[in-house]
Amino acid sequence: MMAKNRPRIALVIGSGSVKCASALGLMKVFERENIEVNLVVGCSGGAIYAALIALGWPVEKATEATLRMWTHEVTGKRSSRAMLQLALPWIYKFDESFGLIDDRLLNRRLRDGFDGATFAQTRIPLFVTAADLYNGEQVVMSAGTIAEAVRASISIPYIFPPHKVDGRFLVDGYLSDPLPIGVAIKEGADIIIAMGFESPYQEQVSSLMRYNFQISSVTSNNLLKTNFAFHNLAHHSEIIPIIPEFEQRIKLFDTNKLPYVIEEGERAAEQQLPYIKQLLGR
Amino acid sequence: MKPKKRIALVIGSGGIKCAAAIGMWRVLQDEGIQVDSVVGCSGGSMYGALIAKHADVGEMNELSKVMWTSDIMQGYTANLKASKDGTLRFNERSGLVDDTVLNEKLKQVFGGLTFADSQVPLKIVATDMLTGEKVTLSEGSLFDAIRASLAIPIIFPPWEVDGRLLIDGGASDPLPIDVAIQDGADIIIAMGFTLDYRIRFRSMTAVQEQLNSIYMNNILTSTYAFYNLAHHAEIFPILPEFDRALSMFDVDKIPDVVERGEQATRQQLPHIKRLLSSFQEI
């Protein structure tokens, strides 16, 4: 007689820049408890950690890889083309590939950081989400090089140029769904561990760019809530939200706060652990 | 005898497309379908307010002609340039457009009116600029409420109501069906619009508009899916279709927009009538 199938567990890591490293803390707890994750979905910052987890890299190696990839320098060089586009739009035509930052260093860092790995090399299935700039649809990537998919998923509007994958211009995944639980549902997960983060609001709206960021936070937080509410209601398997709380403000490049972020992820996972174990019949 | 079923009308955000509500109002009046409450968001709040005070179709057409002209965008290009070179300092109360003309026009139609002037209860939805929350307005000055609900992010300055800085309701919920649900409506007729996508990106503002469209359309899809699933009353979606993208100032296209609204309503009419008659039989 065949044994009853074990429930398939999916980990979904939403957008949230450096805060997404909380997922490493969660994995620490899961490893200790021998809880196996069967597939990982990542969006924006979450895509980086989803990929590291899918590759099966231990927490230390994953932390090191993050520190190598994600530093201030990746936004250090302004794109000269973007400057010309803003200053002389009648000569340097504005187009969909606009981004204020020269992304060559970022692209190189991602390639090196993921060591050229492809989706085929992951130990468990990995799905990375982005949004199509032309029609707003969610795009799910599960083949090719990981660095390319992650690059598309973290194309923060205005900052990094959209990334072209298979002929589509892709922007940051949070524009279509900041916490892509729907992907795990479609992949047939029975238990979905959903790690999500709210976008921070600006302390002061002192420039057009900050104003933009504020509006982005407003809309993406509303999108997060409403998508989560829908999936929770529509889906008949279990969705377990894990929302780490941060007393310290974590900014885009606060990689020096990684240990703290990982710790908070651990703490948030511990809180839900009794319930997860109960679901697993332990 | 059972009490009469309460019908609520919800008109979502959609700029000039919201004029389609005129067509819907015409059909409902022709068919003698009585509306018990009205909810409006952004452009939909203007038409919602007029329907709530039982304005006639002619008056609503007049409003459309007054509102959707390019003079409400005064100063836009100059201010955009000034914000780029830093001479225009942005803060949370700024917008790229000088709103004097917009305010004058709104005052022409709604000045001096309050929510108490409505024949049936009216609610107008906006978004708290600082916290991202949805804000439902139901008393006080109609001008203030509509102006707040219409404050397209970055374009028009936010509007302060009761000490809160408010922006476009579309940033939190472009089709606020839940407001009607909370008010206990049994039948909800919801007219919603998707924002158009661009095919070319010739300026930074084009990119911004595209991002707004992506967010708001995704929020629209997901809130609509959620309400449909969660709510046990009947929701009739009325989604007028347009052959081509409409600019905010296609005033000459308004008769066509109204016509489309009428067609879309007539399509749902048999279903609405069947439901109403089944209630009456009971």
Side-chain angles (χ1 to χ4, degrees):
Chain A
M1 212 179 89
M2 254 175 66
K4 198 170 163 248
N5 284 340
R6 277 198 309 163
R8 272 164 61 80
I9 302 181
L11 172 62
V12 181
I13 313 170
S15 66
S17 71
V18 173
K19 286 182 277 186
C20 301
S22 318
L24 297 178
L26 174 131
M27 287 311 287
K28 268 184 166 172
V29 176
F30 276 23
E31 273 162 30
R32 187 192 73 210
E33 299 289 333
N34 263 322
I35 298 171
E36 209 182 302
V37 170
N38 305 99
L39 68 104
V40 209
V41 184
C43 168
S44 193
I48 298 179
Y49 296 95
L52 294 169
I53 289 167
L55 286 167
W57 291 7
V59 173
E60 293 71 32
K61 191 179 172 193
T63 311
E64 277 167 32
T66 317
L67 289 172
R68 274 199 311 274
M69 286 189 276
W70 197 246
T71 62
H72 272 291
E73 285 92 58
V74 297
T75 55
K77 193 162 179 256
R78 292 248 172 165
S79 156
S80 39
R81 181 162 171 265
M83 293 300 110
L84 292 168
Q85 281 173 321
L86 285 177
L88 308 165
W90 54 93
I91 304 173
Y92 298 91
K93 292 272 187 300
F94 203 94
D95 60 18
E96 66 276 82
S97 64
F98 179 79
L100 284 170
I101 301 301
D102 184 329
D103 63 343
R104 281 174 295 186
L105 178 64
L106 174 68
N107 296 344
R108 205 160 53 234
R109 288 268 185 94
L110 290 175
R111 267 200 305 276
D112 297 347
F114 286 109
D115 214 3
T118 65
F119 281 82
Q121 289 167 316
T122 56
R123 294 206 309 194
I124 50 173
L126 165 69
F127 302 89
V128 170
T129 63
D132 186 317
L133 176 66
Y134 276 90
N135 60 24
E137 282 169 30
Q138 184 179 61
V139 176
V140 183
M141 291 168 281
S142 57
T145 40
I146 290 175
E148 285 288 300
V150 168
R151 170 63 186 80
S153 189
I154 63 173
S155 308
I156 312 172
Y158 298 118
I159 307 295
F160 296 121
H163 199 60
K164 208 169 172 182
V165 177
D166 293 335
R168 301 173 88 166
F169 277 95
L170 303 184
V171 286
D172 201 312
Y174 80 88
L175 283 151
S176 58
D177 189 350
L179 184 59
I181 294 172
V183 179
I185 297 177
K186 280 183 210 136
E187 292 301 322
D190 304 297
I191 298 176
I192 298 171
I193 315 280
M195 189 169 239
F197 311 89
E198 286 210 359
S199 299
Y201 291 118
Q202 297 292 315
E203 281 159 358
Q204 253 189 326
V205 182
S206 51
S207 67
L208 186 56
M209 197 52 88
R210 282 183 184 275
Y211 197 111
N212 270 324
F213 287 144
Q214 176 70 9
I215 302 295
S216 289
S217 292
V218 167
T219 43
S220 75
N221 286 340
N222 278 303
L223 192 54
L224 175 73
K225 277 179 226 154
T226 174
N227 273 334
F228 187 76
F230 172 68
H231 290 315
N232 236 339
L233 194 68
H235 191 40
H236 296 285
S237 71
E238 294 288 338
I239 300 176
I240 301 165
I242 298 193
I243 318 282
E245 280 169 32
F246 301 96
E247 279 179 17
Q248 302 178 30
R249 194 176 162 89
I250 313 286
K251 297 204 190 102
L252 193 53
F253 290 102
D254 284 350
T255 39
N256 60 323
K257 291 187 179 150
L258 275 179
Y260 165 70
V261 170
I262 295 172
E263 216 172 275
E264 289 300 333
E266 240 176 297
R267 211 189 313 273
E270 296 281 7
Q271 273 175 12
Q272 292 282 21
L273 190 61
Y275 180 52
I276 297 171
K277 280 171 132 179
Q278 193 189 326
L279 279 178
L280 294 171
R282 294 192 190 168
Chain B
M1 225 178 82
K2 276 188 124 183
K4 185 185 160 300
K5 293 290 163 182
R6 283 169 49 84
I7 302 180
L9 214 58
V10 182
I11 307 168
S13 66
I16 194 169
K17 289 182 191 170
C18 296
I22 301 173
M24 173 168 69
W25 181 228
R26 194 152 66 195
V27 174
L28 295 177
Q29 281 182 312
D30 284 355
E31 301 290 333
I33 296 172
Q34 209 186 317
V35 172
D36 301 288
S37 65
V38 182
V39 181
C41 175
S42 195
S45 72
M46 295 191 297
Y47 295 100
L50 289 176
I51 290 174
K53 83 174 192 70
H54 289 179
D56 60 38
V57 167
E59 198 181 331
M60 288 169 75
N61 275 324
E62 217 37 57
L63 162 85
S64 303
K65 274 185 228 153
V66 174
M67 279 308 299
W68 305 111
T69 55
S70 53
D71 54 347
I72 59 171
M73 295 291 274
Q74 66 172 349
Y76 177 66
T77 324
N79 287 344
L80 185 64
K81 280 197 187 111
S83 74
K84 270 187 218 157
D85 66 26
T87 44
L88 177 70
R89 295 296 296 172
F90 239 74
N91 66 32
E92 70 274 11
R93 287 172 191 274
S94 316
L96 286 173
V97 162
D98 176 345
D99 59 351
T100 318
V101 175
L102 174 73
N103 294 345
E104 274 168 11
K105 289 185 172 192
L106 283 176
K107 277 195 179 132
Q108 257 178 47
V109 186
F110 299 104
L113 290 176
T114 69
F115 281 83
D117 293 311
S118 307
Q119 301 286 321
V120 295
L122 165 72
K123 301 225 160 135
I124 290 178
V125 172
T127 305
D128 187 312
M129 160 86 179
L130 300 177
T131 66
E133 285 167 280
K134 173 155 72 185
V135 177
T136 308
L137 303 166
S138 56
E139 50 183 36
S141 145
L142 268 186
F143 163 77
D144 281 336
I146 293 170
R147 172 63 183 79
S149 185
L150 269 179
I152 309 173
I154 300 162
I155 310 290
F156 294 120
W159 195 254
E160 193 176 314
V161 178
D162 295 333
R164 295 175 92 168
L165 215 47
L166 303 181
I167 55 168
D168 199 322
S172 57
D173 193 348
L175 186 60
I177 293 174
D178 69 327
V179 176
I181 296 178
Q182 279 155 15
D183 283 345
D186 304 295
I187 298 173
I188 297 170
I189 300 175
M191 179 173 252
F193 310 91
T194 48
L195 300 177
D196 295 318
Y197 290 120
R198 293 181 159 264
I199 42 172
R200 278 191 211 91
F201 300 89
R202 284 184 176 149
S203 69
M204 185 119 164
T205 43
V207 175
Q208 183 57 42
E209 278 177 27
Q210 180 77 356
L211 296 175
N212 280 345
S213 297
I214 293 178
Y215 275 131
M216 293 196 194
N217 287 342
N218 279 309
I219 297 180
L220 176 73
T221 317
S222 98
T223 47
Y224 184 72
F226 174 69
Y227 297 141
N228 239 337
L229 196 67
H231 190 41
H232 296 285
E234 297 290 339
I235 302 175
F236 292 101
I238 298 189
L239 310 167
E241 281 173 29
F242 302 92
D243 301 335
R244 63 179 207 49
L246 286 167
S247 113
M248 218 160 121
F249 316 114
D250 278 337
V251 186
D252 53 324
K253 300 287 186 314
I254 288 176
D256 180 53
V257 173
V258 174
E259 181 62 34
R260 304 263 171 169
E262 189 168 338
Q263 281 168 12
T265 312
R266 290 215 179 273
Q267 274 174 13
Q268 288 285 10
L269 200 57
H271 308 296
I272 299 172
K273 279 173 135 176
R274 193 183 312 139
L275 189 71
L276 283 172
S277 67
S278 74
F279 280 138
Q280 276 153 12
E281 277 160 23
I282 301 164

